[in-house]
Amino acid sequence: MEFKNLLFGLSNGILTITVNRPDKLNALNKLTVQEIGQAIQEAKANPEVKVIIITGSGVKGFVAGADISEFLGLSVEQGKVLAKTGQDVFKSIEDCPKPVIAAVNGFALGGGCELAMACHLRVASENAKFGQPEVNLGLIAGYGGTQRLIQLIGKTKAMELHLTGDMITAEQALFLGLVNYVVPQAELIPRCIEIAERIKSKSPKAVGGAIAAMNAYFAEGVDGYKAEIDEFGKCFSSEDFKEGTSAFLEKRKPNFTGK
Ligand code: COA
């Protein structure tokens, strides 16, 4: 598929996806959401991709939200379809067995904050700002933001951010546990690559299993402990498990293949 609003870079198994609408602070129009969904599917299927980094073009915006210019005139039903489509794409990021790291290089507002939250890890540059400002528009978050912000930082602060629409700084986001690290802008991608390299040296099977088991904690009607048992059990059939345990016993570094 041709991509209009995304840029790609694949190096050493690390795929960087850049949302590229800098003149709109990388706001997510419908096409961009669709393209992100497609890019994740393709990255999942591509054996060369081990870890994914999602970032925004330029130094000012990660993603400044859903594209507000597409909102006017939508009916209730169309609004619901918009939210469902966005939620499905962001869920596909969350459920991706390959780790997805958000490199938050600027404004992460509304759908941008939701996109970052759907990723498994978040690294922010010092100038990044987070927020769910939808109430300013007479709206609420629709791409999973009311749910994931509570999961990540708890109801007390999540309520405050959704009800006031206030933005918070990267440092505040770090304090709240919304991001893993805050670094100077120039170090943002290098730090994400460093983390990606560390994860890349582990068993892809085990990494995918850990993601699935942890996601089960939040899945409705799913017993997370049971999911952990299943994922744990599955590891025993993998080549990676044999390689990891043999390497430990033979006092050498494991060479995981993801099989
Ligand atoms: N949807 C559509 N366009 C957006 C956008 C969005 N969510 N966020 C920014 N843009 C556009 C602006 O309209 C502007 O376009 P223009 O130059 O054609 O007028 C361009 O991006 C640059 O934004 P601008 O507002 O001029 O930059 P700023 O530095 O003054 O302000 C923000 C930055 C992020 C504070 C401001 O753009 C903003 O509040 N954006 C909306 C955030 C939001 O409500 N997101 C949730 C949407 S549900």
Side-chain angles (χ1 to χ4, degrees):
M1 173 175 157
E2 285 283 304
F3 291 88
K4 184 163 176 273
N5 297 329
L6 301 182
L7 301 174
F8 297 91
L10 178 59
S11 173
N12 293 325
I14 302 169
L15 176 71
T16 303
I17 302 174
T18 305
V19 180
N20 187 36
R21 299 184 73 216
D23 52 330
K24 296 290 171 197
L25 294 178
N26 306 317
L28 299 177
N29 58 1
K30 279 193 226 165
L31 178 64
T32 309
V33 171
Q34 189 194 325
E35 288 188 350
I36 292 172
Q38 183 65 31
I40 294 295
Q41 291 316 315
E42 290 185 15
K44 260 170 75 171
N46 183 348
E48 282 178 37
V49 176
K50 310 291 182 202
V51 183
I52 301 159
I53 295 172
I54 299 183
T55 193
S57 194
V59 290
K60 190 174 162 188
F62 171 66
V63 165
D67 191 322
I68 299 167
S69 68
E70 289 186 344
F71 285 170
L72 268 187
L74 294 189
S75 66
V76 169
E77 279 316 311
Q78 287 168 323
K80 284 186 181 181
V81 169
L82 188 71
K84 176 81 170 79
T85 309
Q87 284 194 10
D88 287 350
V89 168
F90 286 11
K91 180 90 169 60
S92 77
I93 296 173
E94 188 170 57
D95 288 341
C96 181
K98 299 178 183 181
V100 186
I101 304 172
V104 183
N105 56 312
F107 289 111
L109 302 175
C113 189
E114 292 170 300
L115 174 61
M117 291 194 291
C119 297
H120 302 117
L121 299 169
R122 283 158 291 285
V123 182
S125 58
E126 287 165 340
N127 64 313
K129 294 241 168 25
F130 295 80
Q132 297 288 164
E134 289 88 347
V135 281
N136 296 322
L137 304 168
L139 266 179
I140 70 165
Y143 296 173
T146 60
Q147 307 303 295
R148 288 198 182 93
L149 195 59
I150 292 179
Q151 292 170 7
L152 293 173
I153 70 171
K155 191 173 173 186
T156 303
K157 277 296 187 184
M159 266 297 174
E160 185 181 330
L161 291 180
H162 277 289
L163 301 190
T164 63
D166 285 348
M167 282 191 236
I168 56 170
T169 63
E171 275 307 321
Q172 287 169 311
L174 183 66
F175 178 76
L176 292 172
L178 183 57
V179 299
N180 297 80
Y181 298 99
V182 177
V183 297
Q185 180 111 44
E187 288 168 31
L188 181 63
I189 296 298
R191 176 65 70 88
C192 290
I193 289 174
E194 198 183 300
I195 297 168
E197 289 289 354
R198 285 220 309 280
I199 300 174
K200 227 181 74 185
S201 68
K202 317 299 176 196
S203 152
K205 279 269 177 202
V207 165
I211 290 172
M214 283 186 274
N215 283 348
Y217 178 84
F218 298 106
E220 203 184 323
V222 174
D223 177 349
Y225 287 98
K226 167 81 172 52
E228 185 183 87
I229 289 170
D230 290 343
E231 293 298 335
F232 182 81
K234 268 196 233 166
C235 295
F236 288 83
S237 70
S238 73
E239 298 280 326
D240 277 359
F241 166 72
K242 282 180 207 125
E243 169 63 9
T245 44
S246 310
F248 178 81
L249 296 171
E250 291 161 17
K251 300 192 188 306
R252 60 174 174 83
K253 275 192 153 188
N255 180 20
F256 293 117
T257 58
K259 291 188 182 127

